[in-house]
Amino acid sequence: MNQSKKGMSNWLLLGGVIILSALPLVVARNAEFAGADDRAAKAVTEVQPGYKPWFQPLMQLPSCEVQTFLFASQAALGAGVLGYLIGLSKGRTERRNHHEDAD
């Protein structure tokens, strides 16, 4: 693939990501974007109002902001590891192709 087609593909992929990210905000304008934990707790209390959890979390975080920070840190770390592995795989493939072309 030549350089201009590769650049065009990257721009198309970026545009697709932006559209897919913004589309739910446009289509479901009045939707409630609550977390899965809150929705699950609400569903459980609707099904069985007297339900009591059978264990408590090992650690109580001091605030909601700390929970959000830890969740965002976990997501960033996962994205970093995933990006590293994809880059490593691509580098190895390019090196292998370069060696095959040289032979």
Side-chain angles (χ1 to χ4, degrees):
M1 183 181 288
N2 64 19
Q3 194 66 20
S4 66
K5 284 186 178 180
K6 189 182 260 185
M8 185 61 141
S9 296
N10 288 339
W11 283 110
L12 287 174
L13 285 172
L14 182 62
V17 167
I18 290 171
I19 289 170
L20 286 175
S21 299
L23 192 62
L25 299 174
V26 174
V27 171
R29 270 182 201 226
N30 298 325
E32 180 181 337
F33 292 100
D37 293 342
D38 294 337
R39 296 182 85 180
K42 185 179 176 183
V44 167
T45 54
E46 286 177 5
V47 171
Q48 189 169 359
Y51 175 78
K52 292 187 180 191
W54 53 277
F55 75 96
Q56 295 296 320
L58 298 175
M59 179 176 76
Q60 289 291 334
L61 296 176
S63 69
C64 184
E65 289 83 12
V66 174
Q67 290 176 354
T68 303
F69 169 74
L70 289 175
F71 184 77
S73 298
Q74 178 186 2
L77 182 64
V81 168
L82 189 61
Y84 173 77
L85 292 175
I86 290 172
L88 183 67
S89 173
K90 182 178 178 182
R92 285 181 179 171
T93 302
E94 287 180 357
R95 186 177 344 144
R96 187 177 326 121
N97 290 341
H98 181 72
H99 283 292
E100 288 175 2
D101 290 343
D103 292 339

